[in-house]
Amino acid sequence: MRTRPLLLALTASLLCSPVASALSEFGIEGMGMVSTRADELRGTVSADGRRILWASNREGGAGGWDLWQATLQDKRWMQPQPLSLNTAADEVDPFLSADGHWLYFASNRKGGRGGFDLYRAPLASNGDIGAPQLLAGPLNGRQDERSPAVADDGPLLFSSNRSGGTGGWDLWAAARDGDGFAAPVALPGINTAADEVDGSWLGGGRALVFARTNAGGGAQLWVSQCRQGQWGQAALLPLSFNTEDNDTRSAVIDANKPGELVVSGKARAPRAGGLDLYRMKAPAVDGSDDCR
């Protein structure tokens, strides 16, 4: 009786490019190009749908974790290449802004304020990526900042193990302040004694999806809707391998197809290696817009 779900997943995986339009539950993203024998984290697709960026520990980069990019050719992701901004340190958690102006990411490279810090690099109209800039103001501290995500022209969402939260890693949000961001605040109603990481806005900030660590050492994806200015009780993202004994994280809306998410995880099949990138339907959002 378990054959039918597996066949459905395999069928969806054959359409491993962003043009896949009939996802039964999920499909692997770019088998052999994006998803490989290495670990792949946090895929982010440009608003024009022409390229995908993600973090990988595969060989061929500058060292450790690096940011990679593939382009759409004949309806498939092709020619994966490491970004020129990579260093011998770790570059992780890419996020392409919906307006096409910025690539946000985290790195523990030299020149930061301590641990992992948040950076952004300007994007040219021809796709070139400029020199990275450490995000100014009170965002980066002596602890770690990871997984930046921006809601349209709204606040910056990120995770940090700084003091002032509920404990361990928490989700924080920083409102816009001119070209930068104001002092961040921990998200009430979301953070717990567990670690909350890898947050991403849904519906322009009316909901969010995030990863919460589990007892097995992995993580599961949860969704919370905004309800009259407060974040509601989180519910598990409905995905068959989003289980307590697995590791599922880094969900990001496809900016070109906002009805779909790209997530990192370990499905039984199809599977390319460790953590792969998968595409699934995004959950319905019916929250209010007064939590941002």
Side-chain angles (χ1 to χ4, degrees):
M1 296 300 292
R2 297 166 61 184
T3 303
R4 180 174 174 79
L6 178 60
L7 289 175
L8 289 173
L10 286 170
T11 300
S13 75
L14 296 177
L15 299 174
C16 57
S17 75
V19 298
S21 58
L23 292 171
S24 57
E25 188 196 0
F26 65 88
I28 198 166
E29 192 76 359
M31 176 73 86
M33 294 291 174
V34 177
S35 296
T36 67
R37 293 182 179 180
D39 290 312
E40 327 294 344
L41 281 173
R42 210 177 202 224
T44 177
V45 180
S46 60
D48 63 5
R50 303 302 300 175
R51 60 177 167 172
I52 183 172
L53 276 72
W54 71 99
S56 179
N57 59 1
R58 67 180 68 187
E59 295 182 355
W65 284 87
D66 293 300
L67 302 184
W68 288 72
Q69 174 178 263
T71 56
L72 192 66
Q73 300 177 27
D74 296 326
K75 300 182 179 181
R76 295 184 180 275
W77 296 126
M78 301 294 290
Q79 297 183 338
Q81 298 289 332
L83 299 188
S84 59
L85 57 74
N86 291 321
T87 69
D90 292 324
E91 282 74 36
V92 292
D93 304 339
F95 183 87
L96 292 168
S97 63
D99 60 14
H101 293 164
W102 298 101
L103 164 64
Y104 293 86
F105 67 97
S107 177
N108 59 358
R109 61 177 61 196
K110 293 181 179 179
R113 296 184 178 177
F116 278 91
D117 293 298
L118 303 181
Y119 292 80
R120 68 179 182 179
L123 302 175
S125 58
N126 63 358
D128 289 345
I129 301 175
Q133 309 167 5
L134 183 69
L135 288 187
L139 294 178
N140 291 310
R142 293 183 179 180
Q143 302 302 313
D144 297 293
E145 287 76 38
R146 293 280 303 265
S147 55
V150 180
D152 300 330
D153 60 348
L156 173 73
L157 178 68
F158 66 98
S159 57
S160 178
N161 57 3
R162 64 178 64 193
S163 61
T166 305
W169 286 84
D170 293 302
L171 296 182
W172 296 71
R176 291 275 184 175
D177 184 13
D179 187 45
F181 298 94
V185 295
L187 292 187
I190 297 291
N191 296 318
T192 67
D195 290 331
E196 282 78 31
V197 296
D198 288 334
S200 186
W201 301 112
L202 300 175
R206 293 183 291 121
L208 59 85
V209 56
F210 62 95
R212 178 177 287 154
T213 54
N214 55 39
Q220 289 172 276
L221 289 169
W222 298 77
V223 177
S224 177
Q225 307 265 5
C226 178
R227 304 294 186 196
Q228 298 180 340
Q230 296 182 342
W231 292 109
Q233 184 174 358
L236 278 173
L237 180 72
L239 179 63
S240 60
F241 57 86
N242 187 32
T243 58
E244 290 184 1
D245 60 348
N246 212 332
D247 192 10
T248 314
R249 57 181 69 229
S250 301
V252 177
I253 284 285
D254 181 335
N256 181 253
K257 301 179 72 174
E260 297 181 5
L261 285 175
V262 179
V263 305
S264 300
K266 298 178 180 179
R268 289 188 177 181
R271 186 170 179 181
L275 285 167
D276 295 316
L277 295 185
Y278 293 91
R279 179 176 292 266
M280 61 171 289
K281 292 180 180 179
V285 172
D286 60 0
S288 57
D289 61 358
D290 49 359
C291 287
R292 304 199 318 173

